[in-house]
């Protein structure tokens, strides 16, 4: 089609005018890849999405947060390596997964029965001990931003776990924590370390008989569909530290870093606000599904678990550090049997 002279002039003018506009176009946004292993509808999944939303709004397009849930990008061990290599910038691994980084002290959070409730937990995560632990990451090229709550763990299996004797010979999946290994051995079980993304299938095929997790993880991974019994034991805690590649974080423009720190503060409040409710709802949904039967423990039965698992504390004092263990006991009021 032939353009008439007037139209041609207009097209040329438009292109000419467009040149300065493209020259002034905003630079490409800073991309932060945030990888995690759980479903979106979990305390961590929702908090990561909330952080993305407010961080992008407040930085007005200068930062883009790409959240990759459900081990889409990396599994447990790989994501830690990816962070150190700079292939991802942000993670929120469970506190039970920090030893491979060389920071075994985080396993203090895995000690059985150490926290009775969120208030006791917050005395550590929101106090000087929590800050001191995050500071230990710096030497590993990692900067710790915050602690995000999840919740207290239930124990699930295909046979009822009520008395300590019921654990004998059970193959139970654990996260990669030596303290959790000791905990399971203390009751006669056979712990197996496995990436979170592999747990459902391992339970389904009988590679392991059972596991422990907060209800939000049990439900969103559909573990309850392949577990006949869920013991409401609250015998331990599972939560997260949000971490970034230190070099990347230090290299951000100062104003951006300040905005992101503010967004992280608000996302942390959001995470800690929804964690209990999410877990309560997940438990109700598991119950409603009728797929697994709930077991509640009497005070005496729970005390029997506590007594048996107590040696986990002594066995791991050397690994975690005696001073740190004492500081946490002091903050939470835990007293060994
Ligand atoms: C697990 O591996 O069981 C949990 O750490 C998963 C998670 O991130 O909550």
């Amino acid at each position: 089609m032939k353009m008439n002279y007037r139209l041609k002039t207009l097209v040329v003018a438009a292109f000419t005018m467009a040149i300065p506009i493209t020259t002034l176009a905003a630079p490409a946004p800073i991309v932060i890849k945030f990888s995690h292993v759980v479903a979106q509808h979990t305390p961590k999944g929702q908090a990561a999405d909330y952080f993305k939303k407010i961080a992008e709004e407040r930085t007005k397009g200068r930062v883009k947060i790409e959240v990759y849930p459900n081990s889409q990008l990396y599994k447990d061990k790989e994501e830690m390596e990816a962070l150190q290599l700079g292939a991802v910038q942000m993670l929120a691994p469970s506190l039970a997964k920090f030893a491979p980084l060389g920071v075994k002290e985080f396993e203090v959070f895995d000690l059985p029965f150490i926290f009775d409730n969120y208030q006791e937990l917050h005395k550590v995560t929101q106090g000087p001990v929590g800050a001191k632990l995050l500071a230990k990451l710096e030497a590993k090229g990692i900067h710790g931003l915050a602690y995000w709550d999840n919740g207290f763990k239930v124990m699930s299996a295909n046979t009822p776990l009520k008395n300590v004797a019921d654990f004998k010979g059970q193959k139970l999946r654990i996260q990669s924590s030596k303290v959790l290994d000791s905990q399971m051995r203390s009751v006669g079980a056979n712990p197996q370390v496995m990436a979170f993304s592999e747990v459902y299938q391992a339970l389904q095929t009988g590679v392991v008989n059972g596991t422990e997790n907060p209800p939000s993880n049990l439900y969103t991974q559909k573990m309850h569909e392949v577990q006949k019994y869920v013991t409401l034991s609250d015998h331990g805690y599972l939560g997260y530290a949000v971490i970034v590649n230190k070099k990347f974080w230090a290299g951000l423009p100062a104003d951006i870093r300040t905005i992101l720190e503010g967004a992280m503060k608000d996302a942390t409040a959001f995470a800690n606000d929804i964690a209990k409710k999410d877990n309560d709802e997940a438990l109700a949904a598991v119950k409603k599904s009728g797929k697994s039967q709930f077991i509640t423990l009497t005070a005496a039965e729970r005390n029997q678990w506590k007594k048996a698992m107590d040696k986990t504390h002594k066995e791991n004092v050397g690994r975690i550090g005696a001073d740190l263990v004492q500081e946490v006991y002091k903050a939470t009021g835990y007293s060994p049997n």
Side-chain angles (χ1 to χ4, degrees):
M1 199 181 74
K2 260 186 152 186
M3 277 192 216
N4 67 32
Y5 178 74
R6 204 174 127 73
L7 187 59
K8 244 187 207 162
T9 325
L10 274 174
V11 172
V12 171
F15 273 107
T16 321
M17 279 161 59
I19 289 166
I21 295 170
T22 43
T23 320
L24 290 176
I30 298 164
V31 175
I32 298 182
K33 289 190 175 147
F34 186 162
S35 170
H36 67 81
V37 299
V38 294
Q40 272 183 296
H41 198 87
T42 53
K44 176 162 65 178
Q46 292 184 75
D49 290 347
Y50 183 73
F51 173 70
K52 170 187 166 66
K53 181 177 174 292
I54 59 174
E56 287 183 350
E57 274 167 16
R58 293 178 194 177
T59 53
K60 299 185 172 44
R62 288 171 69 198
V63 174
K64 190 164 177 281
I65 316 271
E66 296 175 357
V67 181
Y68 298 93
N70 250 326
S71 310
Q72 230 171 61
L73 207 53
Y74 298 110
K75 295 200 269 186
D76 292 328
K77 200 165 147 289
E78 300 162 359
E79 69 172 18
M80 287 294 202
E81 288 159 6
L83 185 77
Q84 287 186 299
L85 292 170
V88 284
Q89 290 70 37
M90 190 174 278
L91 304 174
S94 152
L95 300 164
K97 294 176 183 167
F98 280 75
L101 282 181
V103 198
K104 302 189 281 268
E105 291 89 335
F106 278 87
E107 290 183 4
V108 73
F109 290 100
D110 299 330
L111 288 170
F113 294 96
I114 193 151
F115 307 110
D116 280 337
N117 48 50
Y118 284 102
Q119 286 74 27
E120 285 185 11
L121 166 77
H122 292 160
K123 285 191 185 149
V124 177
T125 53
Q126 296 173 12
V129 179
K132 202 163 75 179
L133 275 171
L134 289 183
K136 287 191 186 290
L137 296 168
E138 298 287 322
K140 310 291 171 190
I142 287 172
H143 179 65
L145 290 173
Y147 290 95
W148 283 0
D149 291 354
N150 188 347
F152 293 87
K153 294 179 280 190
V154 296
M155 199 73 90
S156 64
N158 282 322
T159 50
L161 299 177
K162 200 166 167 65
N163 296 300
V164 169
D166 300 334
F167 282 91
K168 189 141 185 63
Q170 295 274 356
K171 273 186 284 170
L172 303 179
R173 179 267 171 176
I174 54 162
Q175 306 172 83
S176 62
S177 153
K178 287 280 185 291
V179 170
L180 296 179
D181 184 279
S182 301
Q183 171 202 272
M184 293 308 194
R185 289 186 197 282
S186 72
V187 286
N190 179 11
Q192 312 257 318
V193 173
M194 192 177 288
F196 185 64
S197 55
E198 289 159 14
V199 181
Y200 175 85
Q201 211 187 352
L203 291 170
Q204 191 187 33
T205 55
V207 169
V208 288
N209 314 118
T211 189
E212 56 167 15
N213 238 299
S216 55
N217 280 347
L218 178 91
Y219 178 63
T220 53
Q221 296 298 318
K222 302 192 192 323
M223 293 180 203
H224 64 291
E225 295 184 1
V226 287
Q227 293 279 263
K228 293 202 175 80
Y229 298 93
V230 173
T231 307
L232 308 179
S233 47
D234 288 344
H235 59 280
Y237 172 74
L238 189 153
Y240 312 105
V242 188
I243 56 177
V244 282
N245 180 297
K246 185 178 152 187
K247 235 197 208 145
F248 168 80
W249 198 250
L252 288 173
D255 62 328
I256 291 280
R257 199 169 44 241
T258 305
I259 298 172
L260 293 180
E261 278 163 0
M264 183 51 66
K265 197 162 169 250
D266 294 346
T268 300
F270 174 88
N272 298 354
D273 219 46
I274 62 166
K276 184 173 183 315
K277 193 170 145 276
D278 248 41
N279 279 300
D280 289 348
E281 283 172 7
L283 208 54
V286 173
K287 192 166 193 180
K288 198 166 155 221
S289 77
K291 302 262 183 201
S292 38
Q293 202 178 313
F294 282 5
I295 297 169
T296 48
L297 299 176
T298 62
E301 283 161 348
R302 196 164 179 273
N303 207 38
Q304 194 195 36
W305 285 38
K306 182 172 183 286
K307 238 173 149 171
M309 291 180 177
D310 207 46
K311 60 170 168 288
T312 309
H313 290 237
K314 282 181 214 85
E315 276 170 18
N316 288 282
V317 160
R319 179 175 171 83
I320 298 167
D323 290 350
L324 175 62
V325 171
Q326 282 309 321
E327 280 173 316
V328 175
Y329 284 174
K330 206 168 150 213
T332 67
Y334 178 89
S335 60
N337 272 307

